Amino acid sequence: MAGSKSKAPVVKAQEKHGYEFAGPPGAFAISFLLPIVVYITNFVCNDIYGCPIPSVLDPKTLTWDKIKTETGWPGWNGIVSLEATGWVLGYYFLSLVLHRFLPGQIVEGTELAIGGRLKYKFNTLSSSIFTVVLLLAGTIAQGADFPVWTYIWDNYTQIVTANMLIAFTLATFVYIRSFSVKPGNKDMRELAAGGHSGNMLYDWFIGRELNPRVTLPIFGEIDIKVFCELRPGLFGWIVLDVAFIAHQYKTYGYVTDSIILITLFQALYVFDSFYMEPSMLTTMDITTDGFGFMLSFGDLAWVPFIYSLQARYLAVYPLTLGLSGNAGVLAILSLGYYIFRSANNQKNRFRTDPSDPRIAHLKYMETASGSKLIISGWWGTARHINYLGDWIMSWAFCLPTGVAGYLVQQGPALLDGETGFSRGEDRVVQGGARGWGMAISYFYVIYFAILLIHRERRDETKCMRKYGKDWEEYKKIVPWRIIPGIY
Ligand code: NDP
């Protein structure tokens, strides 16, 4: 499945690249801090004391002992578990088996800098549907007590750690192995243009080799970056959401519209990317970025555990939205999805099949690089209008958590008319936490805005490098970055 060599290599790998993400200090800060953020969101928002825990609301009373108690801190040894790591590895292994044995579409990637195109096998959609059927069968048989759901809830921290360890190991493995990439090799291996600065930490973070692949007995050739991009983490996000629904049901005996809506929206987003899987080959992650800790951690740990925070919140605070709430959020999602999908489709069709009648009306400009740039339709409104659609959707993922925040109080069941929820001996009430939980349940909207603004700047630099004066010309025709008329 390696790929096909072309006769005329295009030389782009040798182009000069500066540091991104503020260079080695930035790489260090991100690699060190983001894993901590994942743990903080887990410990500071829990089902034992509150979201956020009460001592965060009253910093004067903050002590280490209090924090340890309220966060349910399991101790350093407790955050990692051999058993949970084994199950997580089993989950990755299942994905690998399905990747190998289910039929898939074979697609060629974009032209490599050293010439030629790699071949990829795509079957994430069918693999995921297969896994969904297995999970559904288990749920039909055992309901919310199906061990996959209860295990995830009970071993959440250890599952987080397992994914982080896998991300760290993979990044280190591909970094070391990248030193065996030799000029003129026959396997179409190449270094990422911006990934071999010579600074060990930075290169490990940003990714030294562009398309690291391994050949495994039985499984054949696996493209590590493409495997990680959608399969374990993105699907894992939805598995986590469903585990949270099961927990809500187990706790309260019912499931609320808010958690169902969020899970449906996020499943739509995730399965849409599975359906459009080959279009991943033209994204920056695949064409430009090497595979390092940035992508391995992002794909395997950050995406599933940070993106599912809203459903995790609602598992404990079962908010009901009602008809108008549902309609409002659905309208926001529909608008975002419409912009996101139609803009991305326009560009994909234009790049892969310019004769497609659906995009034949678009105006474009020729460039010296040989590639054309669309200057009308969605891509004539802003240079990354697709990011705007994506960001609008992120609001629909968070708004169903309402004005978030709760405290868990010991005490008698609530009386009719009291706000809050009875949970055995506990009461889950908003109290002084109302609003403060939004730091967790709306984290995605804020983080995603930062990611997209930063990503747009990175892509701008990439396009400037590729198109030069033509890009300047394009910017005059399409002056807005993401939001027409505003930014
Ligand atoms: P884009 O899909 O926006 O692709 C950018 C590339 O498109 C440019 O490098 C350029 O490549 C090409 N291009 C730019 N302008 C034009 C034009 N006018 N006409 C034709 N081609 C053009 O980039 P991303 O990979 O960042 O995003 C893909 C999708 O994934 C987006 O919708 C984004 O929102 C989403 N995303 C989601 C994330 C998440 O965590 N949920 C994270 C990152 C992205 P070239 O000319 O070389 O072909």
Side-chain angles (χ1 to χ4, degrees):
M1 209 188 49
S4 56
K5 261 287 191 201
S6 75
K7 286 173 216 113
V10 278
V11 182
K12 49 185 183 183
Q14 288 73 18
E15 286 163 359
K16 247 186 160 345
H17 265 261
Y19 281 137
E20 295 182 282
F21 296 93
F28 174 76
I30 295 171
S31 309
F32 184 71
L33 291 178
L34 292 196
I36 294 179
V37 170
V38 177
Y39 282 117
I40 287 179
T41 57
N42 167 21
F43 286 121
V44 166
C45 178
N46 63 40
D47 62 338
I48 329 166
Y49 278 88
C51 183
I53 52 172
S55 49
V56 171
L57 298 174
D58 191 6
K60 272 183 258 153
T61 65
L62 213 83
T63 62
W64 278 118
D65 282 343
K66 209 167 163 195
I67 290 180
K68 277 188 193 164
T69 309
E70 291 185 1
T71 54
W73 172 244
W76 291 109
N77 289 338
I79 62 170
V80 55
S81 139
L82 208 58
E83 185 192 89
T85 308
W87 283 116
V88 171
L89 283 171
Y91 166 70
Y92 280 68
F93 185 70
L94 172 67
S95 189
L96 200 60
V97 170
L98 296 175
H99 176 261
R100 166 69 181 82
F101 293 106
L102 288 184
Q105 191 186 353
I106 305 292
V107 182
E108 280 202 340
T110 55
E111 183 84 17
L112 297 171
I114 53 167
R117 291 169 191 267
L118 288 168
K119 282 201 171 109
Y120 298 85
K121 176 180 176 184
F122 288 124
N123 65 5
T124 302
L125 183 63
S126 55
S127 305
S128 306
I129 292 172
F130 184 93
T131 317
V132 166
V133 170
L134 292 182
L135 293 171
L136 197 66
T139 311
I140 290 169
Q142 291 172 285
D145 288 319
F146 181 45
V148 170
W149 310 135
T150 51
Y151 194 84
I152 288 175
W153 186 269
D154 296 340
N155 298 275
Y156 184 80
T157 307
Q158 295 75 13
I159 294 173
V160 169
T161 308
N163 282 283
M164 285 195 193
L165 288 176
I166 294 170
F168 182 87
T169 309
L170 273 181
T172 307
F173 169 74
V174 294
Y175 174 76
I176 295 170
R177 199 163 159 275
S178 71
F179 288 93
S180 61
V181 176
K182 299 284 177 251
N185 70 81
K186 291 198 183 78
D187 303 319
M188 290 199 272
R189 294 179 67 193
E190 67 177 329
L191 298 181
H196 49 112
S197 68
N199 182 290
M200 199 167 97
L201 175 70
Y202 180 81
D203 292 349
W204 169 82
F205 167 78
I206 204 84
R208 203 163 178 275
E209 186 169 352
L210 186 62
N211 304 298
R213 290 183 163 206
V214 280
T215 303
L216 304 174
I218 303 170
F219 296 103
E221 194 175 50
I222 307 291
D223 188 295
I224 300 177
K225 181 165 67 170
V226 166
F227 181 85
C228 290
E229 190 80 3
L230 301 185
R231 297 183 80 94
L234 224 52
F235 184 66
W237 170 13
I238 304 307
V239 173
L240 289 173
D241 278 359
V242 180
F244 300 149
I245 295 180
H247 184 78
Q248 192 193 63
Y249 183 76
K250 239 173 104 72
T251 311
Y252 296 104
Y254 56 85
V255 175
T256 56
D257 53 2
S258 54
I259 199 167
I260 292 283
L261 206 63
I262 281 189
T263 304
L264 286 178
F265 287 175
Q266 298 184 342
L268 168 78
Y269 186 70
V270 165
F271 277 81
D272 172 90
S273 70
F274 294 169
Y275 181 68
M276 303 297 297
E277 195 172 14
S279 68
M280 177 213 315
L281 294 177
T282 57
T283 63
M284 200 198 310
D285 288 4
I286 305 301
T287 59
T288 316
D289 292 334
F291 186 71
F293 189 68
M294 176 178 80
L295 278 183
S296 67
F297 172 77
D299 291 344
L300 307 180
W302 185 263
V303 165
F305 297 102
I306 291 293
Y307 290 20
S308 63
L309 280 176
Q310 305 89 345
R312 187 167 164 271
Y313 168 85
L314 291 169
V316 184
Y317 194 80
L319 186 71
T320 298
L321 298 177
L323 202 62
S324 53
N326 278 300
V329 187
L330 190 63
I332 295 170
L333 181 94
S334 307
L335 173 70
Y337 184 73
Y338 173 63
I339 300 174
F340 164 83
R341 184 42 50 228
S342 41
N344 280 330
N345 277 352
Q346 254 182 14
K347 178 163 67 72
N348 283 335
R349 286 177 186 137
F350 184 78
R351 280 274 177 264
T352 51
D353 181 14
S355 63
D356 190 319
R358 287 167 292 187
I359 47 107
H361 63 285
L362 292 177
K363 291 188 193 142
Y364 59 83
M365 60 179 268
E366 304 274 359
T367 71
S369 77
S371 284
K372 295 170 180 139
L373 290 169
I374 312 169
I375 53 168
S376 72
W378 283 115
W379 297 85
T381 59
R383 299 199 293 277
H384 270 100
I385 190 73
N386 52 345
Y387 288 2
L388 176 64
D390 215 342
W391 192 63
I392 292 173
M393 273 197 285
S394 74
W395 277 97
F397 293 176
C398 299
L399 281 168
T401 63
V403 182
Y406 61 80
L407 295 172
V408 179
Q409 293 177 350
Q410 296 285 328
L414 290 158
L415 298 171
D416 272 356
E418 276 193 281
T419 48
F421 304 96
S422 293
R423 199 184 63 169
E425 296 289 297
D426 303 332
R427 312 172 335 139
V428 181
V429 298
Q430 289 216 281
R434 186 177 152 81
W436 293 100
M438 292 168 85
I440 300 283
S441 72
Y442 288 74
F443 182 78
Y444 179 63
V445 169
I446 308 296
Y447 146 77
F448 204 43
I450 298 169
L451 175 136
L452 293 174
I453 290 169
H454 181 249
R455 196 172 170 93
E456 188 276 328
R457 302 263 163 169
R458 290 185 72 212
D459 194 51
E460 181 83 9
T461 311
K462 179 219 129 179
C463 289
M464 201 50 219
R465 203 182 289 128
K466 177 173 174 182
Y467 295 109
K469 278 197 182 112
D470 291 322
W471 190 254
E472 297 286 7
E473 195 54 40
Y474 171 62
K475 278 164 62 174
K476 282 188 198 139
I477 304 169
V478 186
W480 303 104
R481 290 174 185 272
I482 298 176
I483 312 176
I486 297 177
Y487 177 73

